[in-house]
Each structure stands twice: as structure tokens, then as C-alpha cells.
Amino acid sequence: MIDKKIEAILNKFEVAHFEVAVVGGAVRDILQKKDVSDWDLATSAKPEEILKLFANKSFYNNRFGTVGIKVDGEVVEVTTYRKEQRYKDWRHPDVVVWGKSLDEDLARRDFTINAIALKLGARGQGSGVGKKQDIYTLVSIPNTLILVDPFDGQKDLKDKIIRTVGDPNKRFAEDALRLIRAVRLAITLGFEIEKNTRLAIIKNAKLIAKISGERVRDELFKIIDAENAYVGILLLCETGLLTHILPELDICFDVQQKSPKRHHIFDVGTHCVMSLKFCPSKKTIVRFATLLHDIGKAKVANVTEDGIRTFYNHEVVGGKQALVISTRFNFSKTAREKLFRLVRWHQFSVNENQTDKALRRFIRNVGLENVSDMMDLRVGDRLGGGLQQPESWRLKLFRKRLREVMVKPFTVADLKVDGHDVMKILGLGPGPKVGEVLKSLFEEVADDANKNNREYLLRRISQYKQLKRNSI
Ligand code: ATP
Ligand code: MG
């Protein structure tokens, strides 16, 4: 179960007389008999010692002393034993204080299921010593892994419970990132949050505002990527975290949409969450855009004299909000641009009478690379609005026409005639006039691709000859 590459790393620590243990998600995975996706190790070695031990293969990950060791394209995160500190700013300790033992290191971890370790030891060493027991004999090195579980994490793992190590109020006040981590772990693992831990999240929710946008984003994106993402967003809302993380979305749960002559059955917030539920995309940013697509509605909601609810220009307002959110979460330029375009242009209509030109404008606005992502957003939007079918016949037709339009000429260079034809037929020399004729032919073709036909276009050029003569 533990592959040989990891065993080799463990062995290297052992040979150099350092303590080392597998911790974090990897232990959960091993105990749940799942494949390990992400390896975290804890050791008594200091960062400089780890770097020396794995020269050329390791690098400092951040200023808190996590070292990354590269093996076959994967990175194993190694953290020196630490001790819990006073956190003045609810973010992270001002100075890192190294812990003396694995027990001390486990005590500063967030949840019981994350405070279990598999420590490297000599065979037989663990048996009968308190809660420690031998469990894994390693294949390639003469050692065993000893299970160290001081907070009964195994029981919570079995019962599928997220519970803080120690007093939840204290632990969340020390590091407010743990508030959203609790929700993230509950959603990705399919666990429940234990009652007192949950009450403490509600009580301390506002502290999440102290955490940097980037760290919150990383956890939020893990929620968005989860299969049950929509339950995660609802949990953020119920615990009062959403109002600090995405206030733009949080207020949408109070915006009603039910109205005569409208198909909506949900309030805006529920509709957004349900759209995420049904969004078929696996791309985080597309899923995020689907969740946010209607947030502008809260700002522009109105009711006409006949009692009809309107949300004019909500996509314009929503596009601006998407940019503000991108800044808050420190998105890359590409992610920001994509989020903006998907939210800003989501309100397109599909209509069999649309001209090719209108379709091209749609593609230009959305961006060619985002067209199929926009269709995924629309599928989520439809199903999340209570419609039964992911696509209407109109949407299917729209997709088909988009595909056709995308392979049709987009520039003058794609016309089936060129400047030589224009000069020859009209008896012109090179000059701006030639370009003008080509451009007007292009305008015609852009509206109807069937006209991009050499015979037809040559005939049209001859008609210019007529025009020219008449104007003389
Ligand atoms: P994943 O499977 O998603 O990697 P993980 O539990 O390994 O889940 P990481 O973010 O990789 O999560 O963190 C590794 C370990 O570090 C956690 O299991 C936990 O023990 C500890 N940890 C991480 N963040 C915190 C925190 N804010 N406070 C206390 N302990 C933390
Ligand atoms: Mg991990």
C-alpha cells in the first residue's frame, strides 16, 4: 500500500537518525484503504537538515518551513515537528516553534482524523505501548509503521465525523482557516461535522475574514470541485461563513424570483447553487462561474406595476462583481478573464432566426475558447432552474449553428475571391478601393455563409462595375 518511493524516503530519514511519520490525508487514505493521492510527512529533522538530506531533490515550499521532496514528478510535503503557538492575527504564528515530539506535533493539528500518524519504527516496538500498535510491515526496508492516534481519530474516521482536536472555539480562534477546512473535509470525504465543532464554526464564522483570499480560495475550490459541491456551498451558507467569503452570493438567498410569466421556482441563491449541482463541467473556474452567474440579480431586482419581477442588466453587474471577486481571491489573469466572460455573457438567447453575424458576435464576446464551457454553464442554469431537459431543441440548434459558424470565414482573407479578381474585373490598380470592395463583399458573406461562393462573388464584383459606370 505504501509504495517503494515513499519507503525509500522514510528510510533515508531513519538512516540519518531522524524520526519520521506519515501524517495528514495519506493516513486517512491508508486507513480507509483508498489510494493515496497526496503524501504528507512529519519529521524531527529541521528544514535545513531535510534540504541537506535530499540535496537537489528538495525545495522550501513556504516560510513556515515546509519542504517539498520531488519523486517522479510528485511532491511529498515534509514538515518539521511543530508546537502550537499563540496566533495574534488569527492567521498563523508569528514565529514557528519546533516541537520536540510527534505527540506535540499531532496536538497542534486541526481535526482528530488529521491527527493520526504512521510513525517509522523498529519491528515490534509499537506493540502494547499505550494506543500505539504495529500495523504495517514495510516491504523494502527493515521497519514497520506504528499507528499513533492520541485523539481517537480512528473512531471518528470510522464514524465519519469531523471534530477538532481539543476545544473547537480555541482551535478556530488560533487559525480561522480551519473553519472552511472543516467544511471542505466534510464535503470531500462525505463526513458530518460534530455538533460542538459545528456550533463553534457558527460562533467564530466572522474570523474567516482575517484569512488571505488565496488560502480561502484554495479550500473553496476544493469544495467546488467536489462531487457534492452544492451541499458544501449550502453548508457554508448555513454556518454563516458564506457571508464573509462570498457576500455577493449570500444575499441572493433573500432574492425571490417567483413571478407571473416567469418559469423560476427558486430564489436566486438556491438557483445558483442548483446550477452548480447540475453543471456538467469538471473545470473549477467554469463550475465557479456557474455558481456566480446570477449574482448581479440581487443588485438590480425590481418589480413592475403588474407584479412581474425583472432583473435588467444583471449580467453586466454580475460581470463587474466577478472581477471584484477575482481580485479578492487573487486569480491568475487567465482565470479572471474566463470568469468575467462566462458571467458577463451568460444571458444569451437562442433563437432559430439569429443571423450568422449575431452568432459571430456571441463567439467574439464569449471568446472562442470559452464557447463550450458556456454551454456547460447553460445546461447547469437550465436544470438548476427546474427545467427537465438539459437542452431545448433551440439550444441544440444553436450549438449546431455555432459549430458551423466557427468553421466559416471570419476574415476577408477567407473569401473565395481576392484583390486580383477585383482589380481585373473593375479595371483597377492596387489601392484602397480594392480593399473597400472586398470588405463590403465580406459583410455580405458574414451574414450568410452560402454567399461565399466564387461565381456569386464574381457576379457581385461585376455589379460594382455597373455602379461605377452609372456614377460616371
Ligand atoms: P488532502 O487530502 O486534501 O491533502 P490533508 O488533510 O492532507 O487533506 P493538507 O492541507 O494537505 O490536508 O494538510 C496536511 C495536514 O496538515 C492535515 O491533515 C492537518 O493535520 C495539518 N493541517 C493543515 N492545515 C492545518 C491548519 N490550518 N491547522 C492545523 N493543522 C493543519
Ligand atoms: Mg495533504
Side-chain angles (χ1 to χ4, degrees):
M1 223 173 327
I2 292 182
D3 60 60
K4 289 193 178 153
K5 286 173 292 193
I6 302 296
E7 290 194 3
I9 292 178
L10 294 172
N11 194 45
K12 217 158 171 170
F13 281 102
E14 165 83 7
V15 170
H17 302 289
F18 292 116
E19 283 184 20
V20 64
V22 179
V23 288
V27 178
R28 293 194 314 260
D29 291 339
I30 292 167
L31 294 177
Q32 291 187 303
K33 306 203 181 336
K34 290 187 196 161
D35 289 337
V36 176
S37 52
D38 174 37
W39 290 94
D40 298 299
L41 304 181
T43 177
S44 58
K46 303 288 180 299
E48 305 73 47
E49 294 169 324
I50 308 171
L51 289 168
K52 212 189 263 172
L53 208 56
F54 296 88
N56 302 325
K57 277 194 187 154
S58 55
F59 57 92
Y60 249 122
N61 241 1
N62 61 30
R63 68 190 179 92
F64 298 112
T66 301
V67 174
I69 299 177
K70 287 182 262 185
V71 258
D72 295 351
E74 272 181 75
V75 173
V76 177
E77 304 243 304
V78 189
T79 318
T80 304
Y81 289 165
R82 291 178 212 171
K83 196 168 149 169
E84 194 54 281
Q85 278 304 290
R86 279 190 88 64
Y87 293 69
K88 273 200 215 112
D89 58 356
W90 292 278
R91 282 169 208 230
H92 21 61
D94 304 319
V95 274
V96 177
V97 176
W98 305 131
K100 287 189 192 64
S101 64
L102 178 61
D103 282 347
E104 209 168 49
D105 184 78
L106 293 178
R108 64 101 194 162
R109 292 180 180 266
D110 46 10
F111 305 105
T112 57
I113 56 162
N114 286 350
I116 315 172
L118 289 168
K119 185 181 182 186
L120 195 68
R123 278 185 191 154
Q125 187 192 326
S127 32
V129 187
K131 284 186 180 130
K132 298 175 184 174
Q133 47 183 292
D134 270 24
I135 59 158
Y136 292 114
T137 301
L138 300 176
V139 187
S140 56
I141 55 175
N143 292 80
T144 188
L145 287 178
I146 300 156
L147 193 82
V148 185
D149 180 17
F151 305 100
D152 259 344
Q154 283 179 98
K155 183 168 185 319
D156 285 343
L157 195 62
K158 209 171 104 248
D159 297 342
K160 299 183 181 284
I161 286 175
I162 307 288
R163 182 199 314 267
T164 52
V165 169
D167 176 1
N169 282 301
K170 211 173 122 217
R171 303 312 309 277
F172 290 132
E174 278 166 5
D175 180 359
L177 186 72
R178 292 168 187 161
L179 295 159
I180 186 170
R181 281 179 58 83
V183 174
R184 188 268 278 187
L185 285 160
I187 291 309
T188 52
L189 298 172
F191 285 21
E192 292 287 322
I193 303 177
E194 178 271 333
K195 189 165 152 256
N196 287 328
T197 301
R198 190 186 167 101
L199 289 174
I201 296 176
I202 296 169
K203 194 168 163 195
N204 294 282
K206 66 172 183 303
L207 296 180
I208 195 73
K210 310 251 179 205
I211 302 295
S212 78
E214 244 165 296
R215 294 179 81 208
V216 172
R217 175 200 65 202
D218 289 349
E219 297 293 335
L220 179 65
F221 275 12
K222 286 184 185 172
I223 296 175
I224 301 242
D225 284 340
E227 211 173 309
N228 261 347
Y230 80 104
V231 183
I233 304 298
L234 291 175
L235 192 51
L236 289 176
C237 183
E238 282 161 30
T239 48
L241 287 167
L242 197 64
T243 182
H244 303 288
I245 297 171
L246 283 171
E248 302 87 346
L249 176 62
D250 194 61
I251 57 167
C252 289
F253 288 91
D254 293 327
V255 181
Q256 294 307 317
Q257 296 195 94
K258 263 190 214 150
S259 157
K261 301 190 188 163
R262 291 280 189 276
H263 69 271
H264 292 293
I265 50 171
F266 296 126
D267 62 79
V268 176
T270 306
H271 166 62
C272 284
V273 168
M274 296 307 275
S275 302
L276 169 63
K277 174 179 179 180
F278 291 111
C279 172
S281 180
K282 295 270 177 268
K283 298 180 193 167
T284 318
I285 213 73
V286 179
R287 295 170 68 78
F288 194 46
T290 305
L291 176 67
L292 299 183
H293 77 280
D294 268 349
I295 49 171
K297 285 188 171 177
K299 281 203 163 177
V300 301
N302 215 332
V303 184
T304 65
E305 279 176 8
D306 317 336
I308 296 171
R309 292 180 197 277
T310 63
F311 301 100
Y312 293 126
N313 281 332
H314 73 271
E315 69 280 15
V316 179
V317 173
K320 285 184 189 144
Q321 289 175 299
L323 291 177
V324 173
I325 291 168
S326 301
T327 306
R328 192 189 311 149
F329 288 133
N330 205 6
F331 280 11
S332 69
K333 227 175 126 196
T334 331
R336 176 186 171 85
E337 171 81 12
K338 190 170 187 107
L339 185 73
F340 170 75
R341 290 210 189 208
L342 289 172
V343 175
R344 171 62 184 86
W345 301 106
H346 81 268
Q347 190 69 359
F348 59 95
S349 55
V350 288
N351 172 341
E352 63 279 22
N353 299 322
Q354 273 159 324
T355 60
D356 282 1
K357 202 170 178 178
L359 292 185
R360 281 207 187 90
R361 192 178 325 116
F362 170 79
I363 296 171
R364 213 171 31 241
N365 288 336
V366 172
L368 193 57
E369 68 283 12
N370 300 321
V371 169
S372 88
D373 296 327
M374 185 65 100
M375 296 298 132
D376 284 348
L377 187 153
R378 174 55 63 92
V379 170
D381 189 1
R382 286 177 57 87
L383 295 176
L387 293 173
Q388 299 301 314
Q389 298 299 326
E391 297 189 41
S392 61
W393 66 266
R394 281 201 174 92
L395 186 57
K396 279 197 186 104
L397 180 67
F398 186 76
R399 265 188 205 272
K400 187 167 161 271
R401 288 197 54 208
L402 280 175
R403 275 196 298 273
E404 285 164 9
V405 159
M406 285 196 260
V407 296
K408 283 178 191 168
F410 269 93
T411 71
V412 170
D414 294 311
L415 284 173
K416 292 283 191 310
V417 289
D418 60 17
H420 295 293
D421 299 315
V422 177
M423 288 189 282
K424 201 165 143 204
I425 297 173
L426 297 182
L428 292 169
K433 187 84 197 151
V434 181
E436 269 169 45
V437 174
L438 285 173
K439 207 166 150 223
S440 76
L441 292 175
F442 173 70
E443 290 291 317
E444 223 183 305
V445 171
D447 264 343
D448 180 357
N450 291 326
K451 291 184 177 165
N452 193 15
N453 157 327
R454 190 162 164 78
E455 255 171 56
Y456 172 81
L457 292 173
L458 290 175
R459 227 176 319 128
R460 290 292 289 145
I461 299 172
S462 307
Q463 285 165 0
Y464 278 93
K465 200 168 168 181
Q466 209 72 36
L467 270 175
K468 215 175 112 197
R469 236 184 247 141
N470 290 346
S471 65
I472 294 167

